[in-house]
Each structure stands twice: as C-alpha cells, then as structure tokens.
Amino acid sequence: MQTSSDRHEYPAHWEADVVLRDGGTARIRPITEEDADRLVSFYEQVSDESKYYRFFAPYPRLSAKDVHRFTHHDFVDRVGLAALIGDEFIATVRYDRIGTPGRPATSPSDEAEVAFLVQDAHQGRGVASALLEHIAAVARERGIRRFIAEVLPANTRMIKVFTDAGYTQKRSFEDGVVRLEFDIEPTDRSLAVQHAREQRAEARSVRRLLEPGSVAVVGVGRTPGGVGRSILGHLRAAGFPGPLYAVNRAFGEDREWIDGVPAHRSVRDIDGPVDLAVIAVPAAQVPEVVADCGAHGVQGLVVVSAGYAESGPEGRERQRALVRQARAHGMRIIGPNAFGVINTAPGVRLNASLAPEMPRPGRIGLFTQSGAIGVALLSRLHRRGGGVTGVTGVSTFVSAGNRADVSGNDVLQYWYDDPDTDVVLMYLETMGNPRKFTRLARRTAAVKPLVVVQGAAPQGHAVRTTRLPHATVSALLRQAGVIRVDTITELVDTGLLLARQPLPQGPRVAILGNSESLGVLAYDRCLAEGLRPKHPQDLTTAASAEDFRAALTRALADDTTDAVIVTAIPAVGEGAAEDAALAEALRSAAEEVPGKPVLVVHVELGGLAAALSAAASTGPAAGTVPVADTTAPTPPEGAPASSPLPPTPAPPHVPGHPAAATGTRPGTDTHPRADARPATDPRATDGHATDTRAAGPRPGTRLIPAYPAAERAVRALAEAVRYGQWRRDATDPGKVPEFEDIDEQGAAALVERLLAPGKAVTLGTEDTCALLAHYGVPVQRALPAPTPDAAAEAARTLGYPVALKATAPHLRHRADLGGVRLDLADEEQLRRAYAELTDLFGQPVEVRPVVQAMVPRGVDTVVRAVIDPAAGAVLSFGLAGAPSQLLDDMAHRLVPVTDREATSMIRSIRTAPLLFGWRGSAPVDTTALQELLLRVSRLIDDHPEVVALTLEPVVVAPRGVSVLGAGVRLAPPPARDDLGPRTLPLY
C-alpha cells in the first residue's frame, strides 16, 4: 500500500512481518485513510471492557470524526500502526506528539502519548509487545525520545506490557489513572527482553512445524508412487500418532480413503484441525492450496514443491508471493524446494520428508539447506557411512530447501532450549542475517555444542552476502563458540564425539594400544592439531582385553591426562567373542574413571566397532533389525482396510559398524527407540532368534566412538578441546575497558565535520592523525620529501636517525622491493639514499618519498578494522608483510573486543612465537599491543562512521608500540538490523 499522507510519503520501510508469542505471524504496517472500513470492523469486534480500558468511558462505536482522526496521519507527529492477519486488523497502536502542557505539538518536542487497542481474541499473543517495539522505533526515527501512557489501574495486562518492556520508567498515580513515562532509547535490559521474546516466539513457531498434532499431505497421488504419496507413506511408516489426511483435488467424489488415510479434495473439506500441511503439488497450484490452508487455520507449511527461486527470476518472484501469502494467514513455511522435516520423539514420530527411513531417536539436531546433503548426513548417522558415523540418533531434522522463510536462525532458537537435543549439526549454504546468527550461536554454544559446515550458496537463496573473506567469517564463527569444520565427514565425526563423550578439560592426550604404528600416527596428528600428546604406550599385539582395560584405567586416572586415544588392530584368528570382550573392557574402564573422553582408532575391526555400539539405547542391540511401526490409524467401521506398508529395511551389516551415543551431556542419549524390537524377536533377524543383549553395554553406559583413521579421530578431539576451552573462557569473557584519556565527543565532532557532505571520504594524513589522537593512538609524523633538500629539512625537524620511505601505492609497505631506507644517521646518508630511491623507482612525483623518525626496533604488525554491512564491525590483527598476505595469518574478532579477546587475538596467529621471544629474540611488549587493539576497537564501536581503518606498520618493541602509518575512511554507517524491533525478512 503506497498512499501519500498530508505531510509525508507513506513510510513503506515501517512495514514488517513479526512472529507472535504463540509462534504465529502477523503483519505490521502504518494505518492510512484507506483503512477506515477495516478500523470500524476491528472496533466492532472489541469487547466493551477493552473499549472502556482504551477510552476510560463507555464507547460503543467510533464516530466519523474518530475514524478520520485514527486513519489520517502525517507520519511524523501523528502515527498509527496496525497488526493484521489476512486483511483484518487485530490490534492498533498510535502516538501523538505532545508539548509540555500535554497538548498537540510538533518538533522539536520529543515526547508523545501512546495508546493501544488489541482485539480480545488475540490478547495474550504478544501483539501489544511487538507493536510497542515497532512504534518506539518509528518514534525514535521521528525525533521522539519519551513515551507517556495513561492506563486504568484495572488494565493490568497493558500495564504489564509497558513494565516488562525493559525501559527505564517513572510511574505516578493521579485522578484514578496510572501515568507511565519512559525513555524509548534501547537499553541493555530492553534489548535483553526483546531477544528473549524473540527466542520464545521463534522457537514456538518452529515447534508448531516439528511437533504437529495432525498432518495433511496435499498432492497425494491416486496411484502408488510420486512425492505426495511417498511422504504419506513415510508418515505412516514412522508411526505418526495423530490424524493424517490425504488431499488431492483430483480425487473422485466417492473416494473416502487412500492407504487407510481419510481422503479429501481440499484442505477446506477436512472436519478436524490441521496443524501442518505438506504441499507436494506443482508450483502453479500452490497459491490455491495455501489459500485453502489459511482459510482452514493450518498453522504451518512444508513446501516440497520446486519451481521457485532455484529456477530463475520468475521463480524468485513466485517464491516471494508464496511467503507473503502464507504470512498473511499467520503461517510459517519450511521451503519451498524442501526435503522435509523429521522428529523422532516418541510422542511425535514425524517423518514429513522424502527420507524413506526414519532415523533412530537420539540427541543430535540436524539442519541442512540442501536436500542432497541432508540425505548424506542422515545416511551417515543412520548407517556406518565408511567410518565412525554408525548407529547414532537424531532428535529433529530440518532440510529447509530455498529457506524462503524458516531459516537456520529459527531452528537454532528452537534447539537452544529443546530438552531432546544435546548437539547441533548444521550445513549452511548462506547466513541471511550473520549478526543474528552470531548472537544466537554464542548463546547456544554456551549450553550445547554447535558444529557448522559452510557450503556455497545456490541460486535459490537470495540473501545478503558478506564481503568478508571466508577465513574471516570462520574466525568470527569460532569467536562465537561455533565448531567450524570443512566437510560433512568432519561434521559427523565431531558431532558424534560430542554426543557420546564428555568435554576434555585440556589438550593433554594419552595414546595407548596394540599398534605402535597407529600410535605414532595419532601422536603426529595430535602435534599437528596443537594438542599435547604423551609418548604412545605400546601394549604389543599380544595384549589381551584385560591389558587394554588396565592400561586405559591408569591413563584415565592420571591427573596429567585430559583425553585418551586407544589404537587397536585385529589379532590373527580373533573372533566376535574377543571383539566383544575388548569392547566391554574399554567401556568398563571408561565407567570406572568417568569424566574424560575416550576414542578408539581401529583398522577394519568390524567386530569391535559393532561391539562398542551394541545394545545402544538409541538403537537396537547388535544383530537386530529395526522394524518400523506400520500401524495406520484405524478407519471407522465400514471403511476399506488397507494393506500395511512393508517394514523399513534395515541397513546392511558393514564391518566397523560403530556406536550410538549415550551418556551424560555432552554425550547423553537416553531416548529408547520407539520401534526397536528385542533381539529375540524373530522378525529382527530374518526369522532367527538371536539374543546378543549380554554383549551390549549396561543401561546408561557411555558408548565409545571408533574411527577408521587416526587423523579423523584426532581432528574431532582437537575440535572438542578447542570448544571446551571456549566454554571455560565464556564464563569470564573479559570486559571492554574504559580509558580516561579517550575524547569521544571530540572525535564525534571531527567525524561530523568531515562527513558534512554526506559522502564517503578517505581522510588525509592530518585528519587521520587527529582522529586517532582522540583515542590515544599517536601516529609517528611522516614529512613529505618531494626534493632532496626537502628531505634534509624534514630530517632536521624530526632529528636523526631517520627513515626514508617510498609511499607510492605500488611501493607502500614493500620493504622487500627496496623502497625503505632505515637508520640514516646524517644528511649525507639521507641524500645518498634519496638518489638511490629515485634512480631505482623513478622521479620523486612517482615515488612519493617521506621522511620519518626512527623508532625502537621490534616486530612489524598490522591492525585493521572494517564494518561489513552483513556481519558488523570486525577487528583484525597479524604480522605485517608476507605472513599476513601470503599465509593469510590474521586474527579476527567482532567489535567491541574485550581485554581477553585482545589477548587471544595476539596469541592465535600462527606467527605469534615471533612476539614472544622465538629463537632467543627479545620478547616484545604485547601488553602495549593489547591496549592498542582495545583503543582501536573502542573507536570503531563508538563511531560506526569509521567504516575502514588500517594501521601499518605497527612496530611492537620490547617496550611500547609505534604506529608508523595509518589510513581511515569515513562513510555514513550502514543500517543495522540487530538494534531495531523484531522482524522477519521482508518480501
């Protein structure tokens, strides 16, 4: 809607979609004169009590004057917003700017009176809280800083909306009315309240999709085969306990059932409620289906249909229309082009996906954007997959396809407080909101491991991209506690270790086993990964299971050991009994001395890996075959019986089949498999009863992961060690220090003056030095030397010894090319160096020489900062020259940086030993370097107009640091979407 007002254009940027407290969605937009009929209809549906609370008197209907007043706004001094579902108002809010006597006013008055009205049927859904966030943001944009609200004492719900918002308030009571006054600038508390509400609302919106009470599959074919018919079969095979419905507009009038499920021609024809609709029809038919779902009150959609953004511009517009249509009805979407969703909880048993087999219940949450990657991950978790991946369980699985609506951020909100998920694995092709993902990841990683693989973005994902290099993004994710790995193999390897074993308390690793070669391989890999391995203990090939148990017990009991790697190779003639005995011995030792992770590296020990995973609480005992619950809802009397689907086929036996995850967090997996049959069930072993339960672990034992290669085990362990250290550091993240000599106001005034034209500008030397000086960062003077005489005069001004540098762009910071002459002790040396430079590189106008005083020798480093529109402000540090450029050896942190983060930046680069006395050199002043990083961080955080900054070189001497070169670029700061009100991505 693009309607002009009396004074200002219609502010389309105020339009937003929001998630409400119960997980539904609503649209917020400005009210215009075209909304008169909607407003009257809305008011008629409000109870007399709510009207009384709004107007402090009986007010049964709005007069024509009222309607005109409430629909005609100037969008500056008078603003009204409405929340809509479909085309109907469900709530309104307005503010009127007022002056000191409380009468209507204009700018520069910065106070406004605010009032709400929420339809009774939608009270308690968090509509008023969402509207307050948005009307406050609008008011701040228009120069209003304070809201005043008058509320009747009996209107406790509205008083709570204001008091719970987190703003600093002043409350008074006069003439029978509660008067609330509060500043609307965001505070730490108001942002915390906003984020908490966002988490609850988005988690509930995902819960509606993953925990439905009833499901309709739209697009079920009349004959076997096809996507819709297959998904219906998967739902039935998983044993979904709620009502199922099959929908196809091509069904005949006389068809009542299909595969034992009620059949309907439209969702509108279904008698009962439908929580989730799975749509598998051609893209051209989807809008009609969505309209039917909205009219019936469906809560959420999984759209597996293709033909959207992945198919080009026309499909992208079709995708936008799909999201707009669904949100208009309060529904959220997974997809389109989605693989589907799975929930293995015993009370849900939902397989609304294209996966033919229901994965085993477990404690791992899995998110992918790619259906193909989702299939690969489910297969690796469900079966052996060529390594450690074996029998382990999934709590929930979401494959979001084009991710037009529900994203990884939403699912992360759900998993954050999901009691059934202990470890989160994510394959991300895009991050639509990197700032938000980083914030959510940091919070999630503080309570449960989050392992992420980043892939390339396909055509179907139209999201804002970051300009930061891939390595920088990875470093920022690690700063937030994300375990960042490179392949799906590493994703699963690391996730399974974290799901099965406790976190290591440090990097000290004991290695023992009956293979000296495997032990040496593990030792070397530990060194390469930055761990601290002990010399491998060789038990020899004659070692018995008891020898392994005793050695593992001793290693675990050693206070100087944080984790143990066991290497094992098969003995000649060794059989299943010996494998089971060794597995039991290792488990027994791990139970005797709990609290430290144990990993096994094996060579084609199928029996041992299977024994280690036998009788898992998340899977059937060794030798069993899981049989799907094929019970379909019982049709009413007289309905045609249907043939049950065949049992889900069991994975074939693969040598080295490893363990499922059980134990304590991390490493808890206590859900029993709902459809697992006892080992004595004839159906479990092709008609042969086999009881192998005695060989399995006792209930509640922690299973030990077995890896087919040392490098995979060590890499997973190294990630767990780093994550464990992050968890410990996260308890005390440090602080952003205050520096008394910082002149924030002076810097702000300088920035405002330099940015007066409103365009980006690269500062000259004097302005750069002046800005940095406000933050206590002095820059060594560099005087231009366009002639030899000017160079000599500059040297006399600065005092000898001096340095002569070429500052032409192709020579700057290139000492390796000979463009720098150091320690020039007198004028003769200076003139000789000047002649050499011009002879080598050309005329002075091409070389641009400068003269600079010498500073104490040290290590040359570089400090950079940049504001990325998607990721935010990033501070980077590394050694100057080849180490940072050739090896990409830079440390990166999000601004603001704490004192502990600044310390970790310095120590995290691979060339850090050069700062700490490598090969007998003098250690440099890293304390002064840390202070410099913190001061630059404060500058960037305080003044987002500083969009780029470079200090190079920064010479770190044994005492003090010297900044020899600096560059600053100013620009209007990019808009931030993490400080405003809650919104969904707008289509």
Side-chain angles (χ1 to χ4, degrees):
M1 183 178 297
Q2 300 289 330
T3 304
S4 298
S5 71
D6 297 334
R7 290 179 51 184
H8 277 73
E9 290 291 328
Y10 175 83
H13 65 287
W14 292 352
E15 295 182 354
D17 293 321
V18 297
V19 181
L20 303 178
R21 181 181 300 157
D22 61 358
T25 63
R27 178 83 165 180
I28 292 177
R29 66 164 176 81
I31 300 173
T32 72
E33 53 264 36
E34 294 181 359
D35 291 318
D37 291 341
R38 292 186 187 87
L39 182 66
V40 172
S41 175
F42 158 73
Y43 194 77
E44 289 175 350
Q45 298 178 63
V46 175
S47 69
D48 291 339
E49 182 184 46
S50 294
K51 293 173 182 176
Y52 186 89
Y53 285 155
R54 169 64 177 86
F55 293 104
F56 299 178
Y59 216 90
R61 65 186 58 85
L62 296 176
S63 66
K65 183 178 180 180
D66 292 329
V67 173
H68 183 275
R69 177 190 171 205
F70 293 150
T71 56
H72 286 67
H73 304 97
D74 60 14
F75 302 126
V76 177
D77 301 325
R78 302 186 318 279
V79 173
L81 300 180
L84 300 87
I85 293 181
D87 198 40
E88 297 182 357
F89 285 4
I90 63 169
T92 62
V93 63
R94 63 177 287 110
Y95 78 68
D96 293 272
R97 195 189 300 259
I98 58 175
T100 303
R103 299 178 63 84
T106 60
S107 182
S109 175
D110 62 356
E111 290 188 343
E113 190 173 44
V114 64
F116 293 80
L117 185 59
V118 180
Q119 201 176 99
D120 294 65
H122 295 277
Q123 292 178 9
R125 301 186 65 198
V127 184
S129 298
L131 282 173
L132 178 58
E133 291 178 18
H134 283 261
I135 196 71
V138 167
R140 290 193 297 268
E141 182 180 327
R142 296 310 195 199
I144 293 171
R145 296 291 175 263
R146 174 179 289 264
F147 272 167
I148 297 172
E150 294 186 344
V151 187
L152 291 175
N155 193 358
T156 55
R157 280 190 172 183
M158 188 51 61
I159 293 175
K160 185 174 175 61
V161 168
F162 291 118
T163 57
D164 288 352
Y167 298 114
T168 302
Q169 297 184 359
K170 176 183 177 182
R171 181 188 297 202
S172 60
F173 182 80
E174 54 186 67
D175 298 330
V177 175
V178 177
R179 180 182 173 91
L180 299 170
E181 302 178 27
F182 52 94
D183 294 335
I184 56 175
E185 284 297 322
T187 64
D188 290 342
R189 182 166 177 265
S190 69
L191 289 175
V193 169
Q194 181 175 313
H195 291 160
R197 288 172 172 169
E198 173 192 65
Q199 189 274 326
R200 289 192 297 268
E202 293 180 357
R204 285 170 182 160
S205 73
V206 174
R207 185 172 296 116
R208 285 155 60 120
L209 295 160
L210 293 179
E211 303 176 16
S214 55
V215 179
V217 181
V218 185
V220 175
R222 291 169 291 179
T223 58
V227 173
R229 187 76 173 260
S230 297
I231 292 176
L232 181 64
H234 300 164
L235 284 162
R236 296 181 60 243
F240 179 71
L244 292 174
Y245 305 98
V247 179
N248 188 335
R249 64 180 182 179
F251 285 159
E253 294 286 352
D254 58 343
R255 180 181 286 275
E256 298 182 2
W257 302 89
I258 186 167
D259 290 342
V261 173
H264 300 275
R265 301 186 67 185
S266 169
V267 174
R268 296 174 187 258
D269 299 334
I270 298 174
D271 292 334
V274 176
D275 295 331
L276 176 68
V278 183
I279 300 178
V281 300
Q285 300 176 20
V286 170
E288 180 184 351
V289 174
V290 173
D292 291 344
C293 291
H296 191 73
V298 174
Q299 294 187 349
L301 307 174
V302 174
V303 182
V304 300
S305 307
Y308 288 89
E310 80 282 356
S311 63
E314 183 179 346
R316 190 179 305 280
E317 184 53 43
R318 188 182 300 119
Q319 181 169 298
R320 290 171 176 156
L322 168 64
V323 175
R324 289 193 295 265
Q325 183 186 15
R327 288 182 181 171
H329 291 287
M331 299 181 292
R332 299 209 68 184
I333 297 173
I334 290 179
N337 195 29
F339 187 79
V341 298
I342 296 173
N343 188 339
T344 65
V348 182
R349 300 200 304 277
L350 174 75
N351 183 8
S353 79
L354 297 172
E357 299 179 20
M358 182 79 158
R360 292 171 174 83
R363 313 291 296 178
I364 292 178
L366 183 60
F367 176 88
T368 72
Q369 294 171 209
S370 162
I373 297 299
V375 171
L377 287 172
L378 285 175
S379 175
R380 287 169 181 259
L381 289 170
H382 190 67
R383 302 177 179 174
R384 178 174 180 270
V388 67
T389 49
V391 184
T392 198
V394 173
S395 59
T396 42
F397 164 79
V398 176
S399 181
N402 290 2
R403 202 189 57 77
D405 182 22
V406 172
S407 68
N409 285 349
D410 297 294
V411 184
L412 207 54
Q413 299 274 40
Y414 170 79
W415 280 325
Y416 168 68
D417 56 7
D418 176 31
D420 294 336
T421 301
D422 288 337
V423 179
V424 175
L425 308 184
M426 305 185 80
Y427 179 86
L428 299 177
E429 293 165 346
T430 57
M431 284 186 288
N433 189 335
R435 289 179 191 260
K436 182 176 179 179
F437 179 80
T438 301
R439 170 169 58 86
L440 300 185
R442 182 186 295 274
R443 184 187 60 188
T444 302
V447 296
K448 58 186 68 174
L450 170 59
V451 192
V452 170
V453 169
Q454 286 179 273
Q459 184 174 356
H461 300 273
V463 297
R464 176 180 51 180
T465 58
T466 175
R467 296 195 297 260
L468 297 176
H470 187 75
T472 304
V473 175
S474 296
L476 298 181
L477 291 179
R478 287 190 178 276
Q479 181 190 0
V482 174
I483 302 172
R484 168 70 173 82
V485 296
D486 296 322
T487 68
I488 61 171
T489 297
E490 293 174 355
L491 179 74
V492 176
D493 285 354
T494 306
L496 293 180
L497 173 62
L498 294 166
R500 297 173 180 176
Q501 297 289 305
L503 287 176
Q505 294 301 307
R508 302 167 300 180
V509 182
I511 303 170
L512 61 91
N514 64 354
S515 169
E516 183 178 12
S517 297
L518 274 182
V520 171
L521 282 174
Y523 179 87
D524 289 343
R525 291 311 306 167
C526 285
L527 291 176
E529 290 288 349
L531 302 178
R532 292 164 52 190
K534 299 181 178 181
H535 188 75
Q537 179 184 359
D538 183 14
L539 303 179
T540 77
T541 56
S544 65
E546 176 56 28
D547 294 331
F548 273 91
R549 189 201 64 78
L552 179 56
T553 300
R554 288 192 300 270
L556 290 171
D558 187 349
D559 291 337
T560 64
T561 296
D562 299 310
V564 180
I565 295 176
V566 178
T567 64
I569 60 173
V572 177
E574 196 171 76
E578 288 77 7
D579 294 333
L582 177 55
E584 179 59 27
L586 297 178
R587 282 197 300 265
S588 175
E591 289 175 12
E592 186 176 341
V593 188
K596 297 179 181 180
V598 178
L599 303 81
V600 170
V601 176
H602 67 95
V603 177
E604 293 302 325
L605 275 178
L608 175 58
L612 285 170
S613 63
S617 64
T618 56
T624 67
V625 174
V627 179
D629 182 356
T630 59
T631 305
T634 304
E637 186 176 354
S642 61
S643 300
L645 294 174
T648 302
H653 173 71
V654 181
H657 200 113
T662 62
T664 57
R665 202 243 39 92
T668 59
D669 202 339
T670 57
H671 278 306
R673 178 167 169 79
D675 57 1
R677 303 193 184 275
T680 52
D681 190 326
R683 291 169 291 181
T685 55
D686 296 327
H688 298 284
T690 304
D691 191 348
T692 60
R693 287 170 292 179
R698 293 174 295 278
T701 58
R702 189 180 71 238
L703 300 180
I704 300 172
Y707 296 80
E711 58 269 21
R712 289 175 59 178
V714 173
R715 177 64 190 272
L717 178 59
E719 294 294 354
V721 167
R722 286 188 280 266
Y723 171 66
Q725 185 61 50
W726 183 90
R727 283 278 291 266
R728 291 186 291 275
D729 292 343
T731 61
D732 181 17
K735 61 182 180 180
V736 177
E738 298 288 338
F739 296 102
E740 294 183 357
D741 60 340
I742 283 180
D743 181 10
E744 183 177 346
Q745 292 183 346
L750 178 61
V751 169
E752 183 178 5
R753 176 175 64 82
L754 296 173
L755 262 185
K759 298 180 180 180
V761 58
T762 299
L763 301 189
T765 301
E766 291 187 7
D767 290 332
T768 296
C769 294
L771 178 61
L772 291 170
H774 284 300
Y775 274 75
V777 180
V779 181
Q780 295 294 319
R781 295 176 66 190
L783 300 180
T787 66
D789 291 339
E793 179 63 27
R796 285 190 291 271
T797 301
L798 298 173
Y800 288 98
V802 297
L804 180 66
K805 302 180 180 180
T807 62
H810 64 290
L811 298 173
R812 183 183 293 271
H813 310 310
R814 292 298 307 275
D816 56 311
L817 297 180
V820 178
R821 299 291 192 273
L822 303 176
D823 287 321
L824 304 175
D826 53 36
E827 184 173 335
E828 179 183 354
Q829 293 183 12
L830 174 62
R831 288 182 179 274
R832 184 166 58 248
Y834 196 100
E836 291 173 354
L837 279 184
T838 53
D839 289 344
L840 185 61
F841 297 113
Q843 295 299 315
V845 68
E846 301 173 283
V847 178
R848 303 181 191 177
V850 298
V851 176
Q852 200 167 40
M854 287 296 298
V855 299
R857 293 292 185 95
V859 179
D860 288 1
T861 64
V862 57
V863 177
R864 296 191 181 99
V866 64
I867 294 185
D868 181 78
V874 179
L875 181 68
S876 302
F877 164 77
L879 266 59
S884 61
Q885 297 174 9
L886 183 61
L887 303 178
D888 195 24
D889 187 21
M890 298 285 290
H892 310 277
R893 298 292 186 273
L894 287 173
V895 170
V897 172
T898 68
D899 50 3
R900 294 195 62 165
E901 289 173 336
T903 300
S904 71
M905 284 186 74
I906 297 170
R907 293 181 175 275
S908 65
I909 59 175
R910 296 193 295 277
T911 46
L914 293 173
L915 302 170
F916 295 94
W918 185 65
R919 285 191 169 183
S921 61
V924 299
D925 192 349
T926 54
T927 301
L929 177 59
Q930 174 185 327
E931 180 178 327
L932 175 67
L933 292 172
L934 292 169
R935 287 178 179 273
V936 172
S937 170
R938 278 287 309 275
L939 171 63
I940 301 300
D941 192 44
D942 293 343
H943 306 285
E945 299 88 352
V946 181
V947 296
L949 178 149
T950 299
L951 306 181
E952 185 179 10
V954 176
V955 181
V956 189
R959 294 189 60 182
V961 298
S962 301
V963 180
L964 303 187
V968 172
R969 182 170 177 79
L970 302 181
R976 293 189 60 172
D977 53 10
D978 58 329
L979 296 179
R982 290 172 284 160
T983 64
L984 290 169
L986 195 59
Y987 280 87

